[in-house]
Amino acid sequence: MRMAKTLQQRLDQANCDYDIIPHPHSATSLESARTAGVPAERVAKSVMLDDRHGNYIMAVLPANRHLDMSKVRMSGDWQLTRESGLPSLFVDCERGAVPAVGDAYAIKMLLDPNITRQGDVYLEAGDHDHLIHMSMEQYLKLVPSAEVRELC
């Protein structure tokens, strides 16, 4: 697998410029940064949350940071989603390789400003062997409905 079909369609629809960066197989976004030789603060990590009622939200933050749940809970009663529940949301992605593009999957996004301050960004392509690299301008064009909020 090279790229999730849904992500590819969203990139095409938004007419974004990007590069596909292959890297050795990795299990986490932080490891993807290391194996691809890119700064971890520029890799957008997706953390999925749910409200126990079938509603989801995607928190996106740098791969080298941790989500502060107290900052997310201010807007509702959110909890970390079990990874076992994600395959039905991201049918075209390998388990644990969710692209930081909630808009493509009709999922609301919260975007940490530590990511938006970067000149460029890398995100999972939907597998554990590729990253998508693009300018921040192109990324923000890809996720126009993302709400920027402190998450770390």
Side-chain angles (χ1 to χ4, degrees):
M1 178 179 188
R2 255 183 90 126
M3 183 187 314
K5 185 177 180 180
T6 304
L7 174 60
Q8 179 71 65
Q9 291 170 342
R10 181 71 186 119
L11 286 162
D12 292 345
Q13 177 187 15
N15 198 27
C16 289
D17 295 323
Y18 62 91
D19 298 308
I20 299 174
I21 310 297
H23 61 81
H25 188 83
S26 60
T28 66
S29 295
L30 189 57
E31 188 180 342
S32 294
R34 185 184 56 75
T35 62
V38 299
E41 64 272 9
R42 292 186 182 169
V43 175
K45 169 174 70 174
S46 300
V47 179
M48 291 302 301
L49 308 167
D50 67 76
D51 67 357
R52 300 175 190 88
H53 301 291
N55 298 306
Y56 295 90
I57 195 165
M58 177 185 286
V60 177
L61 55 150
N64 62 345
R65 304 292 296 268
H66 295 284
L67 179 65
D68 181 342
M69 287 299 292
S70 68
K71 293 182 178 180
V72 176
R73 287 196 175 112
M74 293 181 342
S75 66
D77 189 23
W78 299 100
Q79 67 179 4
L80 291 174
T81 301
R82 294 176 188 241
E83 199 168 274
S84 61
L86 295 179
S88 62
L89 295 174
F90 303 100
V91 296
D92 58 350
C93 297
E94 291 180 11
R95 190 175 188 157
V98 174
V101 185
D103 287 19
Y105 295 89
I107 297 171
K108 181 180 176 178
M109 278 180 68
L110 299 177
L111 187 57
D112 189 87
N114 288 301
I115 283 286
T116 63
R117 291 183 193 117
Q118 302 298 320
D120 59 348
V121 66
Y122 297 82
L123 49 135
E124 299 288 351
D127 68 8
H128 293 284
D129 304 294
H130 298 89
L131 291 171
I132 302 298
H133 175 235
M134 58 185 17
S135 71
M136 184 52 60
E137 178 183 342
Q138 292 292 298
Y139 180 63
L140 293 175
K141 184 170 92 169
L142 187 64
V143 294
S145 62
E147 177 185 336
V148 178
R149 183 194 304 177
E150 294 284 337
L151 299 173
C152 306

